[in-house]
Amino acid sequence: MPSRWPIIAAVGRRRQNDARGYNGTVGGDELTEARYIDPGARTKRLAAAASVAVNVLLIAIEGAVAYFTGSLAVLADAGHSVFDLAASLFAYWGVAMASRPPDQSHPYGHAKFENFSSLVQVALVGLIAVFIAVEVGVRLATGHRLQVPTAAIAVVVATIVVDYLAARYLGRVARTYGSYALEADAFHFSTDLWAKGAALTGLLGGRLGAEWLDPAAALAVAAVMVYTAARLGLRTSLVLLDTAPSAAVEGEVRRILAEEMGPGTGYHSLRMRQAGKWVHLDVALDLPGHVTLAEAHDLACRISRRLCQEVPEVRDAVVYVEPYSHHQEPETDRVSGPPPDAR
Ligand SMILES: [Zn+2]
Ligand SMILES: [Zn+2]
Ligand SMILES: [Zn+2]
């Protein structure tokens, strides 16, 4: 039925195709397909949901205390927690999307959603650091002195404990499953902890007559936040920009390829790129012309399986075969096996 809304109809068709069970892995290899099923998906999603819940709880507590005490400082912190909630929702979205299997619109899988989510989250942290610095500037320029009621201090101390526990828990899940999105979420909880620590230090300084301590601590935390956010942002951007994996991974891949190169064979055009914690690679094998298609396929399949099984980072290895005679001149990056028998 022709729709009056062609774009909506097209999206609907795409969704239908996506849902129909997509098999885009080369060779339909079960091992490669298994690599696209994330065993940590449930744990990661639970962790992200917990961080959303913690932020909702913090907003509720801070909002209630601000309402009953009329404290602007607590209200400002509740405002910050709304940012935190947005960031943790992004973490949840990234983790949930990344665990989807490959489909028509994302045949290489969804692992990069983690990197995109992480980039947005660290950008939010950078933005908050700028807010903190601007606030310090305004306070210094206007000579405004902070009046902080005891209730506000109690709330800050209580939420510091929550931030610490959340950062530790999320950090552990992120390390276990190599999750960029949860790593950024854990980092955000850490920065909240530092910022609140700085605020407490400033309050203490004010009581002890060291007025300079408040802006100094706030600026120091803002600087550390910007620095760390930039570092994490760069790391996740490199993955988004198809940067080659570490030399250690490349070394492992080349070791296996070298082991599989029999007499008179070689490989070239090894290409690797990252998605989330994974590496996707493709490589061309040069084989003698007399090798049968079945033999060539056996070798290519074995190499692909070994790469996926023995290098934990490799999710998908596409191995292409061609006869030596295909080349007028050898590829400049070709790595050759032992010379063919001279008999
Ligand atoms: Zn095959
Ligand atoms: Zn925050
Ligand atoms: Zn070749």
Side-chain angles (χ1 to χ4, degrees), residues 34-125:
R35 297 291 260 195
Y36 281 95
I37 299 165
D38 185 357
R42 218 181 117 78
T43 316
K44 277 159 57 178
R45 204 186 287 228
L46 273 176
S51 104
V52 172
V54 164
N55 280 317
V56 169
L57 189 75
L58 287 179
I59 292 176
I61 294 173
E62 287 168 347
V65 173
Y67 179 79
F68 287 115
T69 64
S71 162
L72 286 178
V74 176
L75 191 66
D77 214 45
H80 173 121
S81 292
V82 173
F83 256 94
D84 295 349
L85 179 62
S88 63
L89 283 171
F90 248 101
Y92 183 85
W93 173 79
V95 165
M97 288 303 292
S99 65
R100 290 192 182 183
D103 55 31
Q104 206 90 32
S105 48
H106 294 90
Y108 285 94
H110 299 78
K112 281 192 181 184
F113 279 79
E114 289 243 5
N115 300 107
F116 182 67
S117 154
S118 161
L119 190 62
V120 172
Q121 290 181 68
V122 297
L124 281 174
V125 170

Side-chain angles (χ1 to χ4, degrees), residues 8-292:
I8 295 176
V11 170
R13 265 199 307 278
R14 214 185 69 193
R15 292 250 166 85
Q16 267 177 22
N17 285 337
D18 278 2
R20 213 167 271 153
Y22 176 75
N23 184 357
T25 50
V26 174
D29 187 87
E30 330 77 52
L31 180 74
T32 306
E33 273 169 40
R35 297 291 260 195
Y36 281 95
I37 299 165
D38 185 357
R42 218 181 117 78
T43 316
K44 277 159 57 178
R45 204 186 287 228
L46 273 176
S51 104
V52 172
V54 164
N55 280 317
V56 169
L57 189 75
L58 287 179
I59 292 176
I61 294 173
E62 287 168 347
V65 173
Y67 179 79
F68 287 115
T69 64
S71 162
L72 286 178
V74 176
L75 191 66
D77 214 45
H80 173 121
S81 292
V82 173
F83 256 94
D84 295 349
L85 179 62
S88 63
L89 283 171
F90 248 101
Y92 183 85
W93 173 79
V95 165
M97 288 303 292
S99 65
R100 290 192 182 183
D103 55 31
Q104 206 90 32
S105 48
H106 294 90
Y108 285 94
H110 299 78
K112 281 192 181 184
F113 279 79
E114 289 243 5
N115 300 107
F116 182 67
S117 154
S118 161
L119 190 62
V120 172
Q121 290 181 68
V122 297
L124 281 174
V125 170
L127 201 64
I128 290 167
V130 171
F131 286 161
I132 291 178
V134 168
E135 205 187 313
V136 169
V138 168
R139 239 187 274 163
L140 287 179
T142 59
H144 172 75
R145 276 214 54 193
L146 262 188
Q147 295 298 324
V148 183
T150 318
I153 298 176
V155 169
V156 169
V157 171
T159 57
I160 275 185
V161 175
V162 174
D163 286 334
Y164 172 74
L165 293 175
R168 240 182 62 142
Y169 164 62
L170 289 168
R172 207 175 47 223
V173 178
R175 274 192 302 279
T176 307
Y177 297 105
S179 167
Y180 280 84
L182 292 180
E183 178 196 46
D185 204 6
F187 163 62
H188 189 146
F189 274 106
S190 307
T191 62
D192 290 343
L193 194 148
W194 303 337
K196 286 170 191 169
L200 285 181
T201 309
L203 283 179
L204 200 70
R207 300 238 162 132
L208 297 175
E211 298 286 342
W212 57 270
L213 206 52
D214 185 45
L219 283 181
V221 162
V224 174
M225 280 166 76
V226 167
Y227 171 75
T228 319
R231 227 177 37 126
L232 288 183
L234 181 69
R235 206 160 63 84
T236 203
S237 296
L238 290 178
V239 176
L240 286 171
L241 297 173
D242 277 355
T243 306
S246 68
V249 172
E250 182 178 345
E252 275 300 286
V253 167
R254 288 197 185 275
R255 179 184 62 78
I256 291 168
L257 287 170
E259 280 174 18
E260 291 290 343
M261 288 305 105
T265 66
Y267 73 88
H268 59 83
S269 310
L270 172 63
R271 298 188 299 180
M272 292 187 278
R273 58 193 183 77
Q274 306 173 75
K277 65 167 182 171
W278 297 102
V279 168
H280 292 249
L281 73 83
D282 50 66
V283 63
L285 301 183
D286 287 338
L287 303 178
H290 63 77
V291 169
T292 67

